[in-house]
């Protein structure tokens, strides 16, 4: 039996995912809008043979607490991700290129066309992270006072997905024939316009671009709520896990994959990628010391505003050096359920507010160690079915990414659990995912997608 292989993606933020990354010495000022900088980062990821390079996004900037955000400017100055990935397609040749786009603030036709275009330009390397958006800054950009309720956003996302995939099936794979003798560019019998009228969207028409090389760009999701897990079991092909330890990760893995047969899906056609931040050193102690230095650079204002954003309540009136009363926690999350639960857990353990500001990372698992120790942890999680691979974040770029490429990847390769080179050319091939058949070929023609 072939040894199971790690799947590895990496979430890239210009300076790194640490809240104080911009204060480190390696990133240059202006990196967030410097295409040459991102091209270099993407090449490092491709040299490491990662499955995909990933960009998170939100269609908004913060308009409050600006003093705090000026000290930790993530998402405050950011290139539009699909535009950036399209530019990176020309400076890479194998690595997958994936990004977030919101079902709350796009129209299905826009997303279908944008990602189909990226898939064609990259020759089959595109991935779409389907999100519902989880901040009211975005809501106010689009004429709303606040986001709709969590379950309503997921209902809209599901219908959005149905319409987008129907649009990707507008053309059969061999519809574009370019028959010079007959004077025909396409076979009219292989064009299938969409007629959709649902709760949220009405679409009458077809996509004005050939079917994507992958059939559909790879569908990525990250929902940790019940609605999110059900949606993922039905539609996702890669899911970002948010477990804080291996036992929790095993339970999440079994739960998510166990839901798939009810939707007629093979569990192997969904890859669970555990979220983890990696810091490599000669020892765990040295790596932890590097991280602790970065943590010391986080201004208390930054810690408080990050907690306010994800706990959905303001704790700035409390004493930084006292535990947080449990009665200050809202009953449930309306934004990111996983982040909410992480903060709630730190409060329940009796940490002071200052300690929570220092300990809260949003990355869930942080691994400190030598190359062998990091590889040990990744191998254990893979072999115990806590995940199929990892969605890695690196605190400070490019140094911690280069450390992983140069020191950890060779250990994983020597153990036979990670590729030495790409064997395929598309993101689906990297992840071991089947290419979806066009619905009009595998079943009688479907002119209507139910809402």
């Amino acid at each position: 039996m072939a040894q199971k292989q790690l799947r590895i993606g990496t979430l890239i933020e210009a300076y790194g995912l640490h809240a104080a990354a911009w204060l480190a010495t390696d990133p240059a000022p202006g990196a967030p809008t410097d295409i040459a900088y991102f091209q270099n980062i993407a090449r490092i990821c491709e040299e490491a043979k990662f499955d995909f390079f990933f960009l998170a996004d939100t269609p908004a900037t913060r308009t409050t607490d600006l003093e705090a955000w000026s000290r930790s400017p993530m998402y405050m100055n950011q290139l539009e991700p699909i535009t950036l990935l399209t530019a990176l397609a020309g400076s890479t040749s194998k690595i997958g290129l994936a990004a977030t786009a919101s079902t709350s603030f796009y129209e299905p036709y826009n997303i279908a066309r944008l990602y189909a275009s990226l898939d064609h330009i990259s020759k089959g390397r595109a991935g779409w992270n389907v999100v519902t958006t989880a901040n009211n800054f975005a809501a106010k950009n689009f004429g709303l006072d606040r986001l709709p309720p969590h379950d309503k956003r997921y209902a809209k996302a599901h219908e959005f997905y149905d319409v987008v995939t129907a649009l990707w099936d507008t053309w059969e794979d061999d519809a574009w024939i370019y028959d010079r003798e007959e004077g025909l560019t396409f076979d009219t019998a292989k064009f299938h316009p969409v007629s959709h009228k649902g709760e949220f969207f009405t679409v009458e028409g077809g996509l004005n671009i050939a079917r994507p090389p992958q059939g559909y760009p790879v569908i990525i999701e990250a929902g940790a709520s019940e609605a999110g897990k059900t949606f993922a079991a039905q539609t996702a092909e890669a899911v970002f896990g948010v477990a804080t330890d291996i036992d929790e990760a095993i339970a999440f893995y079994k739960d998510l994959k166990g839901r798939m047969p009810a939707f007629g899906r093979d569990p192997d056609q969904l890859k669970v990628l555990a979220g983890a931040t990696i810091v490599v050193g000669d020892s765990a102690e040295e790596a932890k010391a590097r991280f602790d230095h970065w943590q010391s650079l986080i201004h208390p204002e930054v810690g408080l505003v990050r907690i306010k954003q994800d706990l959905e309540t303001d704790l700035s009136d409390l004493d930084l050096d006292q535990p947080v009363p449990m009665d200050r926690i809202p009953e449930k999350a309306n934004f990111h359920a996983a982040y909410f639960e992480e903060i709630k857990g730190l409060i329940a353990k009796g940490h002071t507010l200052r300690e929570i500001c220092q300990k809260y990372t949003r990355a869930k698992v942080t691994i400190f160690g030598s190359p062998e120790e990091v590889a040990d942890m990744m191998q254990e999680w893979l072999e115990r079915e806590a995940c199929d691979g990892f969605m890695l974040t690196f605190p400070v770029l490019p140094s911690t990414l280069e450390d992983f490429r140069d020191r950890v990847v060779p250990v994983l390769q020597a153990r036979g659990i990670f590729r030495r080179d790409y064997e395929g050319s598309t993101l689906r091939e990297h992840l071991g995912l089947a290419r979806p058949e066009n619905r009009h070929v595998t079943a009688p023609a479907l002119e209507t997608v139910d809402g």
Side-chain angles (χ1 to χ4, degrees), residues 241-424:
V242 294
T244 56
D245 59 49
I246 191 168
D247 292 330
E248 184 183 346
I250 290 169
F252 177 80
Y253 186 94
K254 288 181 178 178
D255 178 15
L256 189 56
K257 295 217 173 191
R259 298 176 188 228
M260 295 177 68
F263 300 106
R265 297 188 66 203
D266 179 348
D268 192 51
Q269 290 303 298
L270 187 155
K271 307 303 178 185
V272 177
L273 306 178
T277 293
I278 304 290
V279 184
V280 184
D282 292 335
S283 66
E285 292 74 21
E286 180 197 340
K288 181 65 162 56
R290 292 175 69 195
F291 188 80
D292 287 345
H293 169 66
W294 298 325
Q295 289 292 95
S296 73
L297 300 177
I298 299 176
H299 194 281
E301 287 185 22
V302 174
L304 287 170
V305 78
R306 293 169 79 229
I307 291 168
K308 175 183 173 181
Q309 174 183 258
D310 292 334
L311 190 64
E312 303 163 45
T313 192
D314 189 353
L315 302 180
S316 61
D317 60 308
L318 299 178
D319 187 330
L320 280 168
D321 296 307
Q322 294 295 321
V324 178
M326 292 297 292
D327 62 9
R328 293 296 298 270
I329 305 172
E331 288 188 11
K332 64 178 183 178
N334 189 43
F335 295 166
H336 291 290
Y339 301 156
F340 179 94
E341 291 299 326
E342 182 184 356
I343 300 170
K344 182 178 176 181
L346 291 169
I347 292 172
K349 290 176 181 178
H351 290 295
T352 67
L353 185 52
R354 189 185 302 276
E355 288 170 339
I356 294 169
C357 288
Q358 295 281 310
K359 290 178 179 292
Y360 179 49
T361 67
R362 273 186 142 210
K364 311 310 288 183
V365 176
T366 303
I367 307 169
F368 309 105
S370 67
E372 291 74 18
E373 288 170 328
V374 172
D376 287 344
M377 179 273 185
M378 296 178 74
Q379 184 168 1
E380 181 185 9
W381 280 50
L382 178 69
E383 292 178 347
R384 291 185 59 190
E385 294 192 336
C387 64
D388 297 303
F390 289 86
M391 184 62 179
L392 299 181
T393 60
F394 296 96
V396 177
L397 294 177
S399 61
T400 53
L401 171 62
E402 290 171 325
D403 289 343
F404 187 88
R405 176 198 62 187
D406 297 340
R407 304 186 68 186
V408 179
V409 168
V411 177
L412 299 174
Q413 292 170 332
R415 296 182 184 189
I417 58 173
F418 189 59
R419 67 171 65 86
R420 292 185 179 274
D421 203 356
Y422 295 103
E423 295 181 357

Side-chain angles (χ1 to χ4, degrees), residues 1 7 15 48 60 77 93 111 117 125 134 178 198-199 238 264 267 291 298-299 330 337 348 375 414 426:
M1 182 177 179
R7 313 297 181 180
Y15 294 115
N77 178 25
S93 61
I111 290 297
S117 297
R125 296 187 280 139
Y178 298 103
E199 180 182 358
F291 188 80
I298 299 176
H299 194 281
T426 71

Side-chain angles (χ1 to χ4, degrees), residues 85-124:
L85 292 181
T86 302
L88 295 181
S91 58
T92 58
S93 61
K94 295 290 186 180
I95 193 167
L97 301 168
T100 293
S102 174
T103 59
S104 298
F105 302 113
Y106 269 101
E107 288 293 323
Y109 196 95
N110 300 128
I111 290 297
R113 190 183 189 196
L114 284 166
Y115 279 92
S117 297
L118 176 60
D119 209 46
H120 280 286
I121 290 167
S122 65
K123 295 181 168 50

